[in-house]
Structure formats: structure tokens, C-alpha cells
Amino acid sequence: MFRRKFTLWYGNTNVASFNTSFLINIFPQNNTHGEGLAFLIAPTIHIPENIYGQYLGLTNASIDNQTTNVIVAVELDTFKQPFDIDNNHIRLNIHSIRSVVSKPLTLENITLVPDASTPSFHNIWIQYDGVEKIIRVYIAGQPEKTSPTPPMPETPIIQYNLDLRKMVNRDSYIGFATSTGIQTQLNCVLQWNITVEYIVGIQW
Ligand SMILES: *[C@@H]1O[C@H](CO)[C@@H](O)[C@H](O)[C@H]1NC(C)=O
């Protein structure tokens, strides 16, 4: 996690929007992979206990889906749990490892972890509009680590109405969470950029 909190709104009329992008390489181990990597907005930098495997560093069996978790995550899921659509999807999670939206990536010609031991590089863009209260997520691969960053796709893979003021703490940490399970992978964030803009004088 970035070791400083971000203020996501202040007063009754000022709200943050943010744009963030990051480059990842999720690398298989022994020709298998699991479980995933998530961009995370959370109340603390401390990690709950028992967050391995399907809990992805986010929640655990006793606290999952409690509104007191105050977390929002964009998850890149590389392992199929019984409740998952497949082992190659992107999803939006609120307080829980169960998602409010889940989108398969195979149809988009994206494979987060190739089965052979070859690195793969994917860019993820997350744009939160605090005035419209919409989160948009985009993803695009690039052939090599040092390739130029491809343009952001025109169409988001996830677009969801989200009022962060109702879901997370006003002062929240932002960063990444990840886990391995019975299958393992290397979860690498190679670049990360975030800009936060405050829009003042909003009428809610
Ligand atoms: C999570 O909690 C909400 C209510 O807060 C409920 O509607 C939903 O079914 C729960 N999801 C799961 C997977 O238990």
C-alpha cells in the first residue's frame, strides 16, 4: 500500500476523482497459477488474518462481505473457485471476494497468465469519477516489459455506478493485495501511476 492515506472527499461539496494505471506481470509457477492480484482501496495497511487462497489478501472467511470491511477492489482473478466464472477474469469487489461485476477476459483475447513459463504484460487503467460516481476499468496487453504502453482501449471492460463515499472511509489507503493458494504464481506490479484531482463546490 502507498504509505499515506488519500482523502477521497471533504466537507459536503468536495470530492476526489482519480486516474490510476499499472503494468503487471503475473508469472506461473510449475505451469499452474493462482490466485490473483487486486488494486485495493482499504481502511488500513494492516492485512487481516487468514487471507490466503481465495481471500486474495482482502478478507477472510469470518469477515467476508461485512460492510465494516470498507474495501473496494478491482481483482485480476487467475484461479477458478466454485463461485468464479473461470480462471481468467477481471472483477469489481465491494467488501467481499464475491464480485458485483465479473468479466471474462478470454473473449477479449487476454490471457492473464499464459500456461507456458512465459512472462505476460498487461496494463490496467482505473478511472473513478467522483462527480458522476462511476468507476471505469480498462485493460490492454503489451508484448514486452519495455514495449511502449498501448493506448487505453476506448471501451471499459467494467463500468459500474459506485459512490465511494458510501463504501469506503473518507481517508483510505490505496495499493495492491494478492495471494497464492494451492497453486502459486508471482504477482508483479512493474509500474504504477496515480493522480487524484479534487472537484470543489459539488451540489449533491
Ligand atoms: C453480501 O451482503 C449483501 C447484503 O449486504 C447480500 O445482499 C449479498 O447476498 C451478500 N453476498 C454474499 C455472497 O453472501
Side-chain angles (χ1 to χ4, degrees), residues 64-67 96 98:
D64 194 60
N65 205 32
Q66 291 180 6
T67 52
S96 172
R98 316 280 175 124

Side-chain angles (χ1 to χ4, degrees), residues 22 24 26 35-39 56 73-79 87-91 105 110 112 122-124 137-139 176-178 185 187:
F22 50 95
I24 59 168
I26 303 179
E35 296 251 348
L37 180 153
F39 172 82
L56 218 92
V74 174
E75 176 184 334
L76 297 146
D77 195 334
T78 61
F79 187 86
N87 68 354
N88 184 46
H89 59 275
I90 189 165
R91 54 206 302 191
L105 290 169
I110 287 174
L112 291 172
H122 293 99
N123 298 277
I124 293 90
V137 182
Y138 306 80
I139 183 168
F176 299 90
T178 173
Q185 65 191 20
N187 295 293

Side-chain angles (χ1 to χ4, degrees), residues 185-200:
Q185 65 191 20
L186 292 175
N187 295 293
C188 310
V189 177
L190 302 169
Q191 290 173 15
W192 180 30
N193 184 53
I194 182 164
T195 56
V196 181
E197 176 191 15
Y198 292 97
I199 298 99
V200 300

Side-chain angles (χ1 to χ4, degrees), residues 1 3 40 42-49 57-58 173:
M1 307 296 278
R3 294 190 69 84
L40 173 65
T44 161
I45 54 171
H46 301 295
I47 303 169
E49 294 182 336
L58 301 175
Y173 290 94

